[in-house]
Amino acid sequence: MKSKGRILIVDDKPINISILCALLEPEFTLETAGNGEECLEKCRRFEPDLVLLDIVMPGINGYEVCHRIKSSPVGGFTQVILVSGRASPEERLQGYESQADDYIVKPFDHDELLWKVRVQFRLRDAHARLFKLYGQIEANNAELEQRVAERTAEVTAVQDLVVFSLAKLADSRDPDTGEHLVRIRAYSQILAKQLSRKGPYVDEIDDRFLNDLYRASPLHDIGKVGIPDAILQKPGRLTNCEFELMKQHVIIGAEALEKGLKQSSAAQFLQMAVDVTRYHHERFDGTGYCAGLSGCQIPLSARIVALADVYDALTSKRTYKPAFQLDTAWEIIVEASGSHFDPAIVDGFRVCYDEFLQFASQDVAEDLQVQKEIACLVGA
Ligand code: C2E
Ligand code: SIN
Ligand code: SIN
Ligand code: FE
């Protein structure tokens, strides 16, 4: 059975309170107060659904009390009917302005008052039902969003892994590069994050860009699958002819990924992967390969990976070269600002160089081991 509605009756005259009590007692649970302060106090303790509120009382008057009830945190759930001998239109309007839900003029018809009270309870129930419904809708939405986020995270993790494993596979014949994919991915992220904070590319680099770059950067050399071992693993300098063949890795890789692009819904990520793969050996001054693009014709993602790639090549041992001192690598990069590299990206590199050093000094093998374990788990 539904519990009785709770009404607080407020009047400074005991006789008025008695009349209202007699009228309402059969249907409602009642509490009374003799002035404004007491009313506010009982609102907190008794938590009435409805307050029948006299206006002219010693202390705080009914208008002010009503206003305070309605402004309190639970005020939206407390209905207020002003009950007053003040009958002029101005006085009644003032009552509505102080947010009363209804206004009854004394002397009142008993049945009418009873019905007006019941109407307020109907309204209040309707509010409560709506409120509950909104709560349920919000809870449902939150749960849905949570599930979508979880699923998305799962799918993304698996995709990351598959993509990375693919890149790793393509990289596996290149004996010296070791953990260079992990480093290039990290360097590219560090650079891109720096560029998202300061400089001309702040508006171009959002979370989506960063996520796509995280996955796309390890793919930059995937075209090396098409380069013969004799060239890829040659201990000494490449001949011109061999280097011409080596240059083809950007085209082989980009074309392989473009085939996927036509069939896939992950278009934005794959487009970036194609850009990075095809254009990571372009140079800012237009003297790179294979397209010979210059400046901002080269996609930003590729300009970022270009620097990360060369920095990694310089600081690592290759079959054809020893690892350079860090200072030397830094100088080569900075001196190539405007020729090989975008000057704005080199500026970013100067700022976040410490983060490069920090990453390079930590144990990448551990990171790789984790990736391998996950790869086994998902069968990738
Ligand atoms: P990689 O070894 O990963 O080098 C990537 C890029 O880093 C190079 O692109 C180049 O821009 C830069 N880089 C590498 N070593 C040096 C260096 O000693 N000095 C300077 N200033 N920059 C350096 P690049 O030249 O287009 O070469 C692409 C790839 O071709 C290289 O990737 C490597 O796999 C191969 N390669 C290039 N030259 C030789 C070589 O003389 N012998 C052999 N065996 N492979 C080479
Ligand atoms: C009274 O009936 O208590 C006086 C009038 C009023 O409260 O507004
Ligand atoms: C390669 O090209 O064979 C490795 C390094 C790179 O292209 O950046
Ligand atoms: Fe390359």
Side-chain angles (χ1 to χ4, degrees):
M1 202 191 99
K2 207 168 161 255
S3 64
K4 280 187 176 179
R6 301 159 73 79
I7 300 180
L8 175 61
I9 299 169
V10 188
D11 203 304
D12 58 325
K13 295 196 185 62
I15 176 70
N16 288 342
I17 290 191
S18 309
I19 292 169
L20 287 169
C21 281
L23 191 59
L24 298 166
E25 204 135 45
E27 254 177 81
F28 301 99
T29 303
L30 304 180
E31 181 59 79
T32 65
N35 58 53
E37 280 85 358
E38 199 186 340
C39 166
L40 292 171
E41 159 68 17
K42 293 224 163 133
C43 275
R44 281 187 289 272
R45 282 199 285 129
F46 177 63
E47 296 181 344
D49 304 313
L50 173 70
V51 181
L52 287 174
L53 185 57
D54 185 20
I55 295 177
V56 180
M57 297 178 289
I60 326 170
N61 71 31
Y63 296 130
E64 176 60 23
V65 172
C66 178
H67 181 74
R68 290 202 202 165
I69 292 173
K70 288 293 186 177
S71 317
S72 77
V74 293
F77 304 102
T78 314
Q79 308 293 104
V80 177
I81 301 181
L82 290 171
V83 185
S84 174
R86 295 156 66 97
S88 77
E90 292 76 25
E91 287 161 340
R92 291 155 67 161
L93 284 183
Q94 196 185 346
Y96 290 115
E97 273 162 19
S98 61
Q99 299 175 55
D101 297 286
D102 203 351
Y103 194 104
I104 297 176
V105 177
K106 290 183 216 173
F108 48 78
D109 179 86
H110 286 192
D111 283 335
E112 193 182 356
L113 183 133
L114 203 50
W115 276 110
K116 286 196 161 198
V117 165
R118 288 175 186 146
V119 165
Q120 288 306 323
F121 271 91
R122 273 212 304 269
L123 269 175
R124 198 181 171 283
D125 284 351
H127 278 167
R129 275 202 301 277
L130 257 183
F131 191 78
K132 204 171 141 193
L133 251 158
Y134 279 132
Q136 279 168 357
I137 290 172
E138 262 168 32
N140 281 348
N141 280 349
E143 198 190 314
L144 267 178
E145 272 166 27
Q146 168 75 16
R147 270 198 238 159
V148 168
E150 279 169 16
R151 286 290 295 143
T152 308
E154 253 173 62
V155 168
T156 308
V158 171
Q159 282 178 347
D160 279 355
L161 207 76
V162 170
V163 167
F164 191 86
S165 307
L166 202 71
K168 193 80 193 89
L169 202 66
D171 200 46
S172 57
R173 287 180 311 138
D174 200 346
D176 285 340
T177 46
E179 286 94 27
H180 89 120
L181 294 181
V182 175
R183 285 195 305 268
I184 283 170
R185 181 171 68 186
Y187 295 153
S188 302
Q189 277 299 290
I190 292 169
L191 263 181
K193 280 189 183 154
Q194 175 56 38
L195 294 168
S196 76
R197 289 190 286 264
K198 194 165 175 286
Y201 306 126
V202 165
D203 293 334
E204 274 179 76
I205 302 178
D206 54 11
D207 282 351
R208 181 78 194 264
F209 183 101
L210 291 173
N211 287 336
D212 286 346
L213 187 66
Y214 184 85
R215 295 156 73 196
S217 51
L219 290 169
H220 70 286
D221 270 343
I222 197 164
K224 285 202 277 179
V225 286
I227 305 300
D229 285 352
I231 297 179
L232 200 61
Q233 299 176 4
K234 182 173 176 177
R237 290 205 60 80
L238 298 178
T239 65
N240 284 348
C241 189
E242 287 166 336
F243 193 58
E244 284 310 307
L245 243 171
M246 175 59 95
K247 283 179 180 177
Q248 295 302 306
H249 78 276
V250 301
I251 293 175
I252 297 168
E255 284 180 353
L257 290 170
E258 265 166 354
K259 289 204 184 87
L261 185 57
K262 293 200 182 81
Q263 301 156 2
S264 170
S265 56
Q268 186 175 318
F269 154 68
L270 270 177
Q271 184 58 57
M272 187 184 280
V274 168
D275 288 345
V276 160
T277 303
R278 191 183 284 282
Y279 301 119
H280 71 277
H281 286 295
E282 301 294 338
R283 297 166 61 112
F284 198 71
D285 62 8
T287 62
Y289 62 90
C290 280
L293 300 184
S294 63
C296 294
Q297 289 178 318
I298 308 163
L300 178 59
S301 53
R303 275 177 276 150
I304 292 171
V305 171
L307 194 156
D309 184 31
V310 172
Y311 181 79
D312 182 55
L314 293 173
T315 52
S316 311
K317 183 171 119 30
R318 292 284 197 259
T319 49
Y320 65 96
K321 62 170 274 297
F324 293 149
Q325 297 290 322
L326 296 179
D327 288 354
T328 313
W330 195 86
E331 271 164 31
I332 291 174
I333 299 275
V334 169
E335 268 166 29
S337 175
S339 54
H340 193 154
F341 304 118
D342 180 344
I345 296 179
V346 174
D347 287 346
F349 170 73
R350 289 167 182 270
V351 177
C352 62
Y353 183 55
D354 280 349
E355 291 176 67
F356 272 59
L357 294 181
Q358 222 173 354
F359 184 86
S361 69
Q362 82 193 25
D363 192 3
V364 173
E366 201 176 296
D367 191 8
L368 264 185
Q369 188 53 38
V370 173
Q371 299 228 21
K372 272 186 205 146
E373 280 165 18
I374 304 172
C376 284
L377 284 177
V378 303

